[in-house]
Amino acid sequence: MISFILNGENKAVENSDITLLEYLRGVACLKGTKNGCNKAQCGACTVIVDGKAKRSCVLKIDKCAGAKIETIEGLAKDGKLHPLQEAFIKTGAVQCGFCSPGMIMAAKALLDVQLDPSEEEIKEALKFNLCRCTGYIAIIEAVQLAAAVMRGAAEFPAVASGMVGTSVVRNDVLKKALGEPVYTDDFDLEGQLYGQVVYTEYPYAKVLKIDTSAAKKAEGVQLVITAADIPGKKTFGLLSCNQPVMIAEGEHACYIGDSVACVIADTKAQAIVAAKLVKVEYEVKVGVFDAPTMALPESKAFLEKGKIISHTKVRRGDVNKAFAEADVIVEGDYYVPFIEHAYMEPEAAVSCYLDGKLTVYTGCQGVGEFVVNIADCLAIPRAEMHVIGREAGGGFGGKEECTVHIHAALATKILQRPVKIVMTREESLKVSTKRHAENLHYKMAAKKDGTITAIESTAIVDTGAYDSLGLPVVFRSGVVAAGPYQVENAHTDSIGYYTNNPPGGAFRGFGSSQATVAAEIHIDRLAEALKMDPYTIREKNALAPGKQSITGQTIGDDCGYPETIAVVKKRMSELADTYKPSGANKRIGFGIASSYKNVGLGTGLQDNAGAIVELTANGQLRILHGAFEIGQGCNTIMAQIAAETTKIPYAAWLVLMNDSEICPEGGETTASRQTFVTGNAVKFAAADFAIKLKKALKEIYGLEKAHMNFELLGVRDDLSGKLFSWQEIAKKAFDKGLSLNAAYDYTPPATVRLPENNTPPEGHNPKDYDIHIAYCYATHGVIIEADEQTGEYKVLHVVASHDAGKVINPMAFKGQVEGGVVMGIGYGVSEEYALNQGVPITTDLGKCRIPKIADTPKIDVINVERTAPEGPYGAKGMGELPINPPAPAISNALFNALGVRLTHFPITKEKVVSALAVKNA
Ligand code: FES
């Protein structure tokens, strides 16, 4: 037996080969310690062993004999949070929360020995812990605040009111900071079985035979399913529904993440062993692994669907004439690679029967499409399918579609037993969608005064093996190709090609990130050719109220793009002398880049969202909506909007989201749309609820509106001072048959598909060219230090200015910007999901090279509030935009520092050295 002390209690466990993480989660049922990679690369499993932070996924239990082990569950004492937990909550350091327990434990190990740590010491202590949401800034602030409180040098800030515009503490983070079981893999059902999916061995091969006989005989195996067992539709997907759930005999596996079978067994270990016994015979085919090859005229389509997923054309004015009359023409090529979302929580599904309905629990980005896809594949009525959203440990666009969900549900349907399938990090990397890789060619023309007169561009987009959301991503790369500028003559093509790579799907930025990289470096090259500074060319051509985008949309009064440039220009000039080279070969460089991004789906698509605001029969005020909390804070935003609308305190509201049985449909949490559409649904439902409530209070108690004072616990009569509790009000209202339930389905202003000819004729109706309801705008300034010998460089400071309309919660806004900026730095500096002939080279989280805490620069978050008339309290949306400007701004800063243009991403030090060699040759 191995004995140790766990959170102050003596424990003993039989000596075995398991890790401490397996013991904690599997034996001790302490689910607060998370498993993000099982390879000591993410730090989500960090606990404290004998005073030292340890990654429990690689620490064998037999090494813990006699140890004192502390986990997140042991931190709060007597109902009081540890200062670190409170600080993480109050500084906005918890977003999706999957990294938070590990972060907090690593920070505790530091504060246990050093109560006044420097920023460098904090970064050193947390260097093994990854966070994909926050950009680490708030985490550093949280550790500093906790330390200051613990040594008596500071107090926690007062709690904000929760009204619109205040930095109230988020309503979903307490349980995450406590390490409560909130994610899909954190809970188990009685009689639960475990699934292991079998994936193809080749990225392109005909499946000749699948032999499951040996696997079926293996110990503990209850079932082995293949495509032949799927009773309904054999494919799934969001738009075109053409991705096979499993590849059947005689069909082709088209990328390395295609599955061929799934083993269901009593234990996970048994399922893994048996999965290896599934024998598959293949006829291996020669695949196509890059879009430019596929774009060659001689390349043949390898799929029935053809070569091309879609081709977006923007045609405006007379490009040939504009080029002929130009003073300056600049032409260039750009490349951006596939990128992995790298959410800290790998995908998971638990399926079961609940109240007679087939039910799937999962952390995703919208339950509606999961209901449709699973029910259709299983041939059950959609009304008999129930999907319940669990907390998602990050999404960033990567959890919009099914992965293992249909496999789990099918097994439950056949066996009538609960089934859990959790993907390993390696499986997640192999199977999940990626940000599209793109090869872009740009040609732009300008007049001597800096007016950009023409753009001709082509984006060759690698959409991988299946459609996923490739079609709208291809569209987005085409329509924002010119960046946030008015360009009178445009000829842009964005063409998506099928390959045998993983499907390109939704990813924060959604096609605009790739276009921004090319456009914003290209604009700087144009400025260089004109001997003009990068601010002036942007100011001169900036989209502004009354100007037109290249698709002909007239920009509304809510456009604050010019202000974002002005703000960055001012701040960057203040910082001009702040940074000095730290060595003889070092150079400081300044770069800027801008971007704009649509809010909502637009293009004539259905974009509505529903909400219910009610007082339940037992006196609970609650909001039910269909947006999905993936760490961005939407549940908080909805409670703030309800509080502002009704004047009932923020803390009184319980927010429920994404249960397909009880919540209205809200569509996908994508396209920076939920604050706008679900926010409006909540606002209108709350307004209706407030009317009903006031009527009821008058009818029940004779209260006049002017004397109703809404408090956390109920309604106070200002005249008598008497408080009527919510429970009492609910009971009396229900006794009288008064409804205190208000539902609203919000449909945003109409949009249109991209008109064939994007040049609006004289006297046109501007609305005929509104492809989107609103846009948000950003300009970022970046300061770097680069070494002209080694090519190494570091981002030191980012000034991030955004116009996202009215900011509902400044702390959440800051967190979104900081997280997006750091993700954008990763896009520029280090990240790439690399493949060799369709087989991933990026096989673990470490190889994704996402930014670590040491890579975090100083970030100034500056908000330019141009309120949107249709947005809730003037809000627009901004979940995606902060990721766009950093990568091109870094390239521009490198040019400023070293005089070399880097156009192929990520910009590694080797690429910088090569560029310097060419320059110096
Ligand atoms: Fe750190 Fe989401 S809050 S990974």
Side-chain angles (χ1 to χ4, degrees):
M1 297 294 281
I2 307 284
S3 301
F4 45 84
I5 299 169
L6 174 61
N7 295 330
E9 286 182 25
N10 289 321
K11 298 279 178 188
V13 63
E14 225 169 85
N15 193 358
S16 73
D17 196 35
I18 65 170
T19 63
L20 176 56
L21 179 63
E22 287 167 329
Y23 167 78
L24 291 171
R25 291 184 63 85
V27 180
C29 283
L30 295 177
K31 306 286 190 179
T33 307
K34 307 300 179 198
N35 183 0
C37 68
N38 220 26
K39 255 186 168 179
Q41 293 177 334
C42 73
C45 64
T46 303
V47 298
I48 298 175
V49 179
D50 290 333
K52 298 237 175 334
K54 297 277 182 194
R55 284 159 287 169
S56 59
C57 71
V58 289
L59 182 63
K60 293 287 182 187
I61 196 73
D62 62 2
K63 295 279 183 292
C64 297
K68 184 179 164 219
I69 300 166
E70 298 167 71
T71 72
I72 191 76
E73 290 88 350
L75 250 58
K77 298 261 190 297
D78 305 323
K80 193 167 163 23
L81 295 175
H82 187 281
L84 271 165
Q85 290 170 310
E86 191 161 353
F88 266 64
I89 289 169
K90 289 198 165 157
T91 56
V94 184
Q95 289 192 20
C96 85
F98 201 79
C99 73
S100 303
M103 285 282 182
I104 290 170
M105 295 314 291
K108 181 175 185 290
L110 170 67
L111 298 195
D112 282 349
V113 293
Q114 165 59 295
L115 259 192
D116 193 6
S118 66
E119 185 171 324
E120 288 316 307
E121 286 173 317
I122 294 170
K123 286 183 172 178
E124 177 64 22
L126 302 183
K127 68 182 178 187
F128 296 123
N129 293 68
L130 295 178
C131 175
R132 192 60 159 162
C133 301
T134 63
Y136 303 101
I137 306 273
I139 289 171
I140 295 167
E141 289 167 354
V143 179
Q144 289 168 331
L145 175 61
V149 169
M150 288 168 80
R151 61 177 193 270
E155 289 184 358
F156 286 115
V159 175
S161 73
M163 292 298 160
V164 165
T166 65
S167 290
V168 71
V169 164
R170 285 172 48 162
N171 52 17
D172 62 319
V173 293
L174 174 63
K175 56 195 175 190
K176 295 173 180 174
L178 284 167
E180 287 182 3
V182 296
Y183 305 96
T184 309
D185 187 27
D186 288 348
F187 75 111
D188 300 294
L189 299 175
E190 210 181 316
Q192 175 180 289
L193 301 167
Y194 297 82
Q196 176 61 48
V197 177
V198 181
Y199 295 98
T200 174
E201 292 166 45
Y202 304 98
Y204 190 37
K206 187 173 184 182
V207 173
L208 301 175
K209 189 166 172 20
I210 304 169
D211 180 358
T212 60
S213 55
K216 281 178 175 162
K217 288 183 207 142
E219 188 185 354
V221 170
Q222 301 287 341
L223 177 72
V224 182
I225 52 175
T226 64
D229 298 301
I230 302 171
K233 239 184 193 170
K234 309 282 186 191
T235 55
F236 69 99
L238 281 174
L239 294 176
S240 18
C241 199
N242 63 13
Q243 184 162 349
V245 178
M246 286 178 274
I247 307 296
E249 288 179 355
E251 292 179 348
H252 286 82
C254 291
Y255 89 108
I256 200 73
D258 271 326
S259 70
V260 290
C262 181
V263 175
I264 310 296
D266 293 337
T267 70
K268 179 75 180 168
Q270 289 168 336
I272 291 170
V273 169
K276 291 185 181 133
L277 300 174
V278 174
K279 296 285 170 246
V280 184
E281 286 175 31
Y282 299 94
E283 181 186 329
V284 179
K285 300 280 180 90
V286 178
V288 178
F289 303 106
D290 69 282
T293 301
M294 202 60 179
L296 296 172
E298 61 269 28
S299 289
K300 299 254 181 309
F302 60 89
L303 295 170
E304 286 167 7
K305 297 172 287 190
K307 283 171 70 165
I308 294 176
I309 178 173
S310 66
H311 182 169
T312 296
K313 302 173 186 177
V314 174
R315 304 288 183 259
R316 180 179 175 83
D318 186 341
V319 171
N320 292 336
K321 184 165 175 285
F323 279 118
E325 294 171 356
D327 292 319
V328 168
I329 295 173
V330 172
E331 202 162 352
D333 292 299
Y334 304 88
Y335 172 72
V336 281
F338 287 114
I339 298 287
E340 163 65 23
H341 299 86
Y343 26 75
M344 287 298 112
E345 179 211 21
E347 297 84 343
V350 173
S351 59
C352 63
Y353 274 92
L354 185 68
D355 297 331
K357 287 194 177 182
L358 187 55
T359 302
V360 172
Y361 294 88
T362 191
C364 63
Q365 291 183 232
V367 293
E369 290 299 329
F370 278 63
V371 167
V372 169
N373 279 182
I374 302 169
D376 288 1
C377 289
L378 270 53
I380 60 173
R382 291 175 186 177
E384 290 175 18
M385 184 72 222
H386 187 184
V387 177
I388 301 176
R390 301 286 291 176
E391 299 285 345
F396 315 114
K399 289 183 181 166
E400 293 194 22
E401 294 168 76
C402 293
T403 50
V404 291
H405 308 79
I406 301 168
H407 301 79
L410 175 58
T412 289
K413 183 169 184 262
I414 294 170
L415 294 169
Q416 299 284 302
R417 284 181 65 178
V419 172
K420 178 191 262 192
I421 306 181
V422 181
M423 292 174 88
T424 63
R425 177 59 65 178
E426 289 69 25
E427 288 169 343
S428 172
L429 285 164
K430 193 162 68 166
V431 174
S432 66
T433 60
K434 311 296 169 209
R435 177 186 288 145
H436 291 73
E438 293 193 16
N439 291 73
L440 305 110
H441 181 77
Y442 267 57
K443 183 178 170 189
M444 290 176 95
K447 290 290 192 188
K448 273 193 196 123
D449 69 354
T451 305
I452 302 171
T453 52
I455 175 172
E456 192 173 73
S457 69
T458 307
I460 304 290
V461 183
D462 190 335
T463 205
Y466 302 109
D467 288 15
S468 179
L469 286 165
L471 196 146
V473 168
V474 170
F475 172 83
R476 190 81 49 233
S477 281
V479 297
V480 299
Y485 307 101
Q486 177 164 290
V487 182
E488 291 298 346
N489 304 287
H491 187 290
T492 78
D493 291 278
S494 180
I495 313 162
Y497 291 94
Y498 292 111
T499 66
N500 293 108
N501 290 324
F507 195 131
R508 197 177 198 178
F510 206 81
S512 71
S513 309
Q514 295 91 327
T516 298
V517 165
E520 288 297 307
I521 299 173
H522 211 76
I523 298 258
D524 259 39
R525 294 168 91 167
L526 214 45
E528 182 199 350
L530 290 162
K531 300 196 177 10
M532 184 174 270
D533 80 76
Y535 293 102
T536 307
I537 195 166
R538 287 176 172 82
E539 287 163 348
K540 193 158 188 65
N541 297 283
L543 287 179
K547 292 202 172 186
Q548 278 185 5
S549 69
I550 56 170
T551 61
Q553 180 159 358
T554 302
I555 300 301
D557 290 342
D558 64 339
C559 169
Y561 173 46
E563 287 98 317
T564 68
I565 304 174
V567 159
V568 170
K569 190 176 180 180
K570 179 167 176 290
R571 181 70 185 129
M572 291 290 271
S573 112
E574 289 165 2
L575 293 168
D577 297 321
T578 304
Y579 294 95
K580 306 285 181 210
S582 63
N585 298 322
K586 307 283 188 184
R587 300 286 176 265
I588 299 294
F590 295 78
I592 62 164
S594 300
S595 188
Y596 78 134
K597 175 78 183 62
N598 57 295
V599 174
L601 304 176
T603 65
L605 294 171
Q606 187 178 336
D607 205 1
N608 60 315
I612 295 167
V613 175
E614 63 180 5
L615 181 66
T616 64
N618 63 2
Q620 176 64 57
L621 286 157
R622 66 180 197 177
I623 303 159
L624 298 99
H625 67 87
F628 211 101
E629 178 61 78
I630 51 173
Q632 80 282 38
C634 75
N635 279 348
T636 303
I637 299 299
M638 299 314 151
Q640 287 188 261
I641 289 172
E644 183 70 43
T645 308
T646 59
K647 306 302 177 209
I648 297 170
Y650 163 83
W653 294 97
L654 174 71
V655 186
L656 298 177
M657 56 139 201
N658 256 319
D659 180 319
S660 64
E661 286 282 279
I662 58 171
C663 296
E665 177 59 38
E668 292 295 304
T669 295
T670 188
S672 303
R673 63 188 285 274
Q674 291 296 4
T675 296
F676 198 104
V677 292
T678 297
N680 262 324
V682 169
K683 185 182 165 201
F684 288 116
D688 188 24
F689 170 78
I691 291 168
K692 288 181 173 170
L693 177 64
K694 285 171 187 170
K695 258 172 121 175
L697 290 169
K698 168 86 175 155
E699 196 170 328
I700 298 167
Y701 303 109
L703 285 180
E704 295 299 333
K705 277 187 212 164
H707 300 296
M708 296 172 191
N709 197 14
F710 298 113
E711 298 182 5
L712 182 63
L713 299 178
V715 181
R716 193 174 296 279
D717 176 3
D718 265 356
L719 292 177
S720 68
K722 188 157 188 253
L723 181 76
F724 304 100
S725 73
W726 293 117
Q727 289 73 20
E728 179 191 331
I729 295 166
K731 183 170 184 322
K732 288 198 186 297
F734 281 86
D735 287 348
K736 278 182 173 283
L738 300 171
S739 164
L740 290 176
N741 171 297
Y744 196 89
D745 190 64
Y746 173 74
T747 301
T751 56
V752 297
R753 290 174 67 85
L754 180 65
E756 276 289 311
N757 180 348
N758 320 127
T759 306
E762 280 298 314
H764 74 283
N765 177 358
K767 291 283 162 211
D768 293 344
Y769 289 81
D770 282 357
I771 61 169
H772 288 296
I773 51 174
Y775 294 93
C776 43
Y777 302 86
T779 301
H780 291 189
V782 164
I783 304 172
I784 63 158
E785 181 180 64
D787 188 310
E788 63 180 359
Q789 295 292 321
T790 65
E792 284 173 289
Y793 67 97
K794 187 168 173 58
V795 179
L796 305 173
H797 200 129
V798 178
V799 179
S801 176
H802 287 255
D803 163 30
K806 175 69 184 171
V807 172
I808 307 279
N809 185 320
M811 184 168 71
F813 174 83
K814 174 177 172 287
Q816 286 292 295
V817 173
E818 290 167 348
V821 165
V822 172
M823 201 181 261
I825 290 173
Y827 195 31
V829 173
S830 54
E831 290 186 44
E832 175 170 17
Y833 178 81
L835 297 139
N836 178 16
Q837 300 288 297
V839 177
I841 296 168
T842 306
T843 49
D844 61 38
L845 204 48
K847 289 178 185 154
C848 292
R849 301 199 299 263
I850 68 170
K852 298 180 174 177
I853 196 165
D855 302 318
T856 300
K858 275 198 175 322
I859 302 176
D860 298 336
V861 177
I862 305 174
N863 166 31
V864 172
E865 278 191 2
R866 275 297 190 105
T867 54
E870 298 283 348
Y873 297 102
K876 289 193 270 192
M878 52 82 59
E880 300 170 273
L881 190 56
I883 196 179
N884 285 355
I890 288 166
S891 173
N892 292 339
L894 276 165
F895 181 76
N896 181 253
L898 304 176
V900 288
R901 282 275 174 219
L902 278 303
T903 55
H904 285 50
F905 286 77
I907 305 176
T908 58
K909 64 178 181 182
E910 291 78 13
K911 288 180 188 166
V912 178
V913 167
S914 297
L916 284 165
V918 171
K919 180 192 154 201
N920 297 329

